Amino acid sequence: MTRVFVSGVGAVSPVGTGRDAMFEALCRGISGAREIRRFDTSQLDRHVGCEVVDFEPADHLTRAELERTHRCGHFALAAARIALQDAGLSGGFPDPERVSVVIGTTMGEANLLGELEDVWLHQGAAALRSELIPRYGTGNLPAQLARAVGARGSIQALPAACAAGNYAIGQAAREIRAGRADIVVTGASEVIERLQYAGFARLGAMAPDRVRPFDVDRSGILIGEGAGILILESEASLVRRGARPLAEVGAVGLACDAHHITRPHPEGEGSKRALLAAIERSGLTPDDVDHVNAHGTGTPANDLIESRVLRDIFGERKPPITSLKSMLGHCMGAASALEAIACVQTLERQIIPPTIHLENQDPECDVVVVREATPVQGLDVVLNNALAFGGYDAALLLARPGKLGEFWH
Amino acid sequence: MGLVSPFGMGNEAFREGLAGRGGFAEASVLPAETFPAPRTHEVRDWNPNLVLGDKGHRHFDRLTRFLAVSARLALRDAGFRDGDEWRGGDTAGFGVVSATAYGSLDEITEQNRIAVFEDPRYINPTRFPNTVINAAAGYVSIREELRGPNTTIVSGRTGALLALAHARGELESGEVYGALVGGGEVVSEALYVGLERLGLFERFGGLHLAEGGGFFTLEREGDVIERGGRVLAILAGEHTAFEPPEDDAALAHTSSAAAARALRGATRGERVDAVVISASAIEPLASAERAAVREVLGEVPVVAPNLAIGEAFAASGVFVVGAAVALLGDEVLAKELVGVADSAPKRVAVLALGQEGQASAVMLERA
């Protein structure tokens, strides 16, 4: 079976942009939470989110690319450029027809739609700038990414809500294992926009100031934004190029709760299946897992159910877990892509980044949560867990190169 | 197969429409005061209660209802549902792969208006989830209690073909033993205004914005036979390609080169009896698709159902797959559409071209 590796990563995040900036900030426990600047929140009772700041699209995109894309695309293209440089592929691909793009998102360029609707309703349809209209469609996102990086294989967007990153990475690995591609540019991108922000406020799912995963006083999420792009590559392609792998991609376990459109299954039934599928299809057992990057949204229901699921899977052997959403906020579709990058770097550097704002752990959450950046020897296998609207459950297994045996996915 | 189209609800209505014996519904989705004579082809005789009953779907938006009805029709057609009774195996091994280009755009714009122009505190928490693109497919799994992977794909007109490839991968890897594969699109005011502002109705006189949805059940051939089902078509090949425009500033791009690569990859030099293409009245699409067919397959009968149906984006991809399946199984229809003299076509290629430079093709064979 074709083995699949991560050969490059790039992040645009609320705590930093670059190959390493995000992970280093996470290890320092830096939070991206701040007052929302991009739109007015005065009519709401929530005003804080994790916006990307200090990001200048023109530093990464050409003038034509800037005009063909909007903020979600800006993030994705910038992160892709960083990832390609990391992979040693900035100069182009050996065979562009064997390079695909699979990108996750929740809402794509939703902020552009909001802007267009403003104009439409206030000034009439005739005032709509026609050149902006094609930029909205979510299908434009992978197309622009493919144009920017020079890919000519399959392109697709996977809107899998808050599990979109893991979904995209899983599909990217499938493309390579099925022999359809040698290299896939994958990951996810998301922007904070006002409808989504107001909707989560109306659902009562947002914390007022900070995210406190697994804390007895946790009160919800903060919405974040950003893009995480990973370059996935077949072993043969890596060998041909003489490139170094950062991590091996194991299986992605996918399941659907088929229970409720927004609430997780009360027993975490689907999540458990997804996590076990990721482990077992990678040819491993729960005992082989060294660390879990938890979904860890900081909502009362998620953290309780996720803790129970992890307890059911791992029993008394409690692998250390962390929730990066305590610092990044919940970057929606981009969340599990950014967190997958952090998992890759956790394997690379053998350091688990912390969960911040955890002061009084909920005794019902019977898990070992890492509170300070923690060096760990022999950290070989990590799980990246994600859940999403639609009852989606998606778990991604990543391993240090050479640590996975031959497995059936 | 379960289809909901401007020809009506169900496969028979679709077949009759393909044969030119249908008609179209009077437009009713867009506000008449703003659009007195809209060029839309909406789902005819639309009554979801006939399939879903009258309970449990009040909070569904139009796209979700299209998908929910299509799913139930397809599951019944395949024998997975007998009335409401599930006749398949463990639902943890049955997935959903659904394509859409714009999702529930009507719901997104409606909720956006409330958030921006009324008061965000008036957003209805039960409707807000519908603004998430994958929600419609998620509701299908919830309603049908399907616990396998649920995936939504966005790739314009090519999405449904990519969905077939995606589900095939899940079948081959053993993640599922069956899946509903298809997608849908709805007529919405925002999409209509967008096409109008792009000048498409003015440029292409026969263009109608269309809608609908559909699902196919995908399984391994042996499993279908073992459970006493019937094979409508065999997915014998698939390929997707992307070609960027030469003009750095261009956004819309229809690429006959991508279409040719996709067709070549899906058909692999094998004989093809007919090709179903995705083009609506948007002429550059038709030209690019026909050019690719000529280049790869030479003179072969071409069927273009969306010329009549209209432009339904991801649903257009569903309709071309549906038309190919109908052609494979129906000698009479085949004679009407492609003039094959002796029998229904045995091998039909399906080609769908996106508006951003992508193209997908699948090869379907008669069982």
Side-chain angles (χ1 to χ4, degrees), chain B residues 20-51:
Chain B
R21 288 188 286 275
F24 293 101
E26 198 172 317
S28 64
V29 169
L30 305 185
E33 63 274 20
T34 316
F35 306 96
R39 279 160 53 183
T40 56
H41 281 164
E42 300 161 16
V43 172
R44 187 179 163 197
D45 302 328
W46 173 235
N47 184 355
N49 290 2
L50 292 175
V51 176

Side-chain angles (χ1 to χ4, degrees), chain B residues 71-96:
Chain B
R72 180 53 65 98
L73 291 174
L75 291 171
R76 282 182 187 161
D77 189 46
F80 281 109
R81 287 248 179 230
D82 182 1
D84 289 340
E85 199 71 25
W86 177 253
R87 299 291 188 197
D90 184 352
T91 58
F94 208 100
V96 176

Side-chain angles (χ1 to χ4, degrees), chain B residues 15-212:
Chain B
R15 186 200 172 285
E16 288 297 296
L18 281 181
R21 288 188 286 275
F24 293 101
E26 198 172 317
S28 64
V29 169
L30 305 185
E33 63 274 20
T34 316
F35 306 96
R39 279 160 53 183
T40 56
H41 281 164
E42 300 161 16
V43 172
R44 187 179 163 197
D45 302 328
W46 173 235
N47 184 355
N49 290 2
L50 292 175
V51 176
L52 302 179
D54 56 4
K55 289 191 173 65
H57 57 90
R58 268 181 47 194
H59 57 298
F60 285 8
D61 57 27
R62 192 171 176 84
L63 176 63
T64 307
R65 286 198 174 100
F66 285 173
L67 296 190
V69 168
S70 304
R72 180 53 65 98
L73 291 174
L75 291 171
R76 282 182 187 161
D77 189 46
F80 281 109
R81 287 248 179 230
D82 182 1
D84 289 340
E85 199 71 25
W86 177 253
R87 299 291 188 197
D90 184 352
T91 58
F94 208 100
V96 176
V97 190
S98 182
T100 186
Y102 297 101
S104 299
L105 190 56
D106 48 349
E107 189 74 34
I108 297 169
T109 50
E110 177 62 25
Q111 296 298 319
N112 210 29
R113 286 177 194 195
I114 294 169
V116 177
F117 300 106
E118 295 180 29
D119 187 325
R121 288 168 294 190
Y122 297 156
I123 288 176
N124 182 340
T126 65
R127 310 282 303 195
F128 170 67
N130 297 342
T131 65
V132 178
I133 300 174
N134 65 304
Y139 277 120
V140 169
S141 282
I142 292 169
R143 192 165 177 95
E144 296 295 343
E145 299 179 52
L146 303 176
R147 299 179 301 131
N150 183 300
T151 305
T152 294
I153 292 177
V154 173
S155 191
R157 221 171 277 100
T158 68
L161 281 68
L162 275 164
L164 282 168
H166 187 105
R168 182 186 188 166
E170 290 183 338
L171 278 169
E172 286 173 350
S173 67
E175 291 167 87
V176 299
Y177 66 84
L180 281 168
V181 187
E185 213 75 68
V186 290
V187 165
S188 68
E189 195 178 349
L191 191 51
Y192 192 88
V193 166
L195 298 186
E196 208 169 43
R197 281 295 297 143
L198 289 169
L200 295 180
F201 292 119
E202 199 177 331
R203 281 173 64 198
F204 307 112
L207 178 64
H208 286 74
L209 176 60
E211 64 176 5

